[in-house]
Amino acid sequence: MRVGHDPETTQGFVNPPIVRGSTVLFPDTSTMRRRAQKYTYGLRGTPTLDALEAAIDELEGSHGTILVPSGLAAVSLPLLAFLGAGDHCLVVDSVYGPTRLFCDTMLKRMGVETEYFPPGIGAGLSHLMRPNTKVVFLEAPGSNTFEMMDVAEAAGIARAGGAVSMLDNTWATPLLFRPLEHGVDLSIHALTKYPGGHSDLLMGSVSATRETFGRLRDAQMQLGINVSAEDAYLVFRGLKTMDLRIRAHEQSTLALARWLDGHEDVARVLHPALPSFPGHDLWQRQFDGSTGLFSFVLRGGGREEAAAFLDALSLFGLGYSWGGFESLALEVDLTDRIHATAPTEGPMIRLQIGLEDVADLQADLEAGFAAVRAMSR
């Protein structure tokens, strides 16, 4: 993947240099007054950050990209940029949990009203638009429950109502889905996940259209947020192998998801690439593939059964985040949902499938099921 950096600009070195810095010198007062040079202060960018922003722009097809210290910052900053007191914000109910928390706390204190809508609302979204609706926030597939939606339809409704549309695209990455091509104004990523790929950094990005980028960049500078050159370099390096890693994640994940889909101890598998999933047709029409994150529902039981299953795992680690080389598992908590509520058949387990051997991972999951079965003896 050759994006974001021209080796001819750095004496042939294939990777950009790590440029650390805060102070940038000007040759004279006139240049300083006019800010008439590319770099003026470290907060406003360095060659290392520029290389990563340019690479993401090429992948996203965006006019401009900003970098922020975490995936959650990539959610909160554009919301702050485009919302103010008295505004109305529409958010899909299957959104990432911390996004909901930000809306229900910080935005509420700012005087912004947040309204959540079902991910399957379709054209009905137009009936929720108000004159003061300024943002429509989407996530596809939905967080933890993986509901699909017609992104172009939702973005079109937002635009027709005078609102800006934003979409958290972390699950797919721009390799598998490019939101701006579907009419979305801002595409959000936790670069912590697949772009970083090695569970050793935190970073987020927001990629914007020409019409929205200026306001987004202004908000970034007003808040004084940027990232370190070292972390930007690691993400830039991660992009070079992201396609290979995602294909490996996808292959292993589909093998395990299909196996679980026919398992006697599984009530339901929530993965949009499976034909059995209700939103499979929408996924097929919009996405170019799938990644390593999905959920399944244990057949019967509750929190005790979920704990027994998880505690019996040895290869799967118990941890948050995903997108790295290691497989992870956790119990999904959906108690904050209004519309996209938890399945009723049993507890829900989310799996991140890493780069380990599929047979070993399957055996590990089978040990979890055995631990649950042992509870009823």
Side-chain angles (χ1 to χ4, degrees):
M1 184 183 295
R2 299 187 179 185
V3 293
H5 172 65
D6 181 359
E8 290 186 6
T9 64
T10 52
Q11 294 75 50
F13 286 99
V14 297
N15 286 312
I18 297 177
V19 179
R20 305 179 186 90
S22 55
T23 299
V24 180
L25 298 180
F26 297 83
D28 51 54
T29 304
S30 175
T31 305
M32 189 176 196
R33 286 174 176 171
R34 292 180 293 115
R35 297 180 181 239
Q37 63 186 41
K38 181 172 177 58
Y39 299 105
T40 59
Y41 187 64
L43 176 65
R44 294 181 174 272
T46 71
T48 314
L49 275 56
D50 282 354
L52 179 55
E53 289 176 352
I56 296 173
D57 277 334
E58 189 164 343
L59 292 171
E60 287 278 8
S62 49
H63 174 73
T65 291
I66 67 166
L67 303 173
V68 290
S70 69
L72 181 55
V75 168
S76 59
L77 193 146
L79 288 172
L80 290 172
F82 289 93
L83 290 167
D87 288 344
H88 176 242
C89 177
L90 286 169
V91 178
V92 65
D93 193 46
S94 54
V95 77
Y96 174 53
T99 301
R100 181 188 298 270
L101 181 64
F102 180 79
C103 293
D104 291 347
T105 55
M106 185 73 73
L107 290 187
K108 184 177 180 180
R109 290 198 297 272
M110 287 173 51
V112 174
E113 180 187 356
T114 300
E115 182 178 358
Y116 298 96
F117 62 89
I121 194 171
L125 181 63
S126 61
H127 301 303
L128 301 181
M129 297 291 293
R130 305 178 191 172
N132 64 331
T133 303
K134 301 301 181 185
V135 168
V136 175
F137 195 100
L138 311 171
E139 187 166 343
S143 185
N144 293 319
T145 43
F146 302 95
E147 296 92 345
M148 291 301 306
M149 62 170 55
D150 186 324
V151 173
E153 179 182 48
I157 290 170
R159 181 168 283 109
V164 169
S165 59
M166 307 174 182
L167 186 141
D168 188 333
N169 193 36
T170 302
W171 183 85
T173 82
L175 294 181
L176 304 181
F177 186 66
R178 287 158 60 97
L180 273 62
E181 292 182 353
H182 294 257
V184 174
D185 295 303
L186 298 109
S187 177
I188 292 165
H189 287 281
L191 300 178
T192 308
K193 310 300 196 286
Y194 293 112
H198 294 80
S199 304
D200 56 2
L201 60 88
L202 293 169
M203 195 181 299
S205 66
V206 189
S207 299
T209 61
R210 183 181 300 275
E211 295 76 17
T212 58
F213 181 67
R215 186 162 174 175
L216 179 70
R217 179 71 90 184
D218 285 348
Q220 180 194 22
M221 292 300 102
Q222 289 155 8
L223 291 168
I225 294 175
N226 219 314
V227 302
S228 76
E230 287 84 355
D231 285 350
Y233 178 86
L234 288 175
V235 173
F236 186 90
R237 185 174 68 173
L239 292 180
K240 303 300 184 183
T241 61
M242 184 169 69
D243 181 57
L244 295 173
R245 288 184 285 105
I246 283 180
R247 299 306 173 187
H249 286 294
E250 178 183 41
Q251 184 177 359
S252 297
T253 301
L254 287 175
L256 289 168
R258 289 166 182 148
W259 170 70
L260 288 169
D261 203 28
H263 199 285
E264 61 180 355
D265 296 320
V266 174
R268 200 191 317 176
V269 177
L270 306 178
H271 192 314
L274 294 183
S276 60
F277 189 75
H280 176 70
D281 57 334
L282 279 170
W283 170 81
Q284 231 177 1
R285 177 155 55 87
Q286 299 175 103
F287 287 70
D288 293 325
S290 60
T291 53
L293 192 75
F294 72 104
S295 296
F296 73 91
V297 183
L298 282 171
R299 190 178 298 281
R303 299 197 69 188
E304 289 185 6
E305 285 75 11
F309 177 88
L310 293 168
D311 290 343
L313 302 177
S314 57
L315 271 182
F316 283 86
L318 305 184
Y320 298 106
S321 197
W322 41 275
F325 55 86
E326 76 285 24
S327 292
L328 300 169
L330 55 77
E331 180 185 7
V332 176
D333 179 9
L334 299 177
T335 55
D336 59 352
R337 296 282 183 92
I338 300 169
H339 306 287
T341 54
T344 58
E345 302 98 323
M348 190 160 70
I349 305 295
R350 191 185 77 181
L351 299 178
Q352 134 78 9
I353 306 303
L355 301 177
E356 302 93 342
D357 182 78
V358 172
D360 292 340
L361 293 173
Q362 183 172 322
D364 202 35
L365 293 172
E366 197 59 78
F369 292 124
V372 175
R373 289 194 295 269
M375 295 177 67
S376 60
R377 293 174 187 162

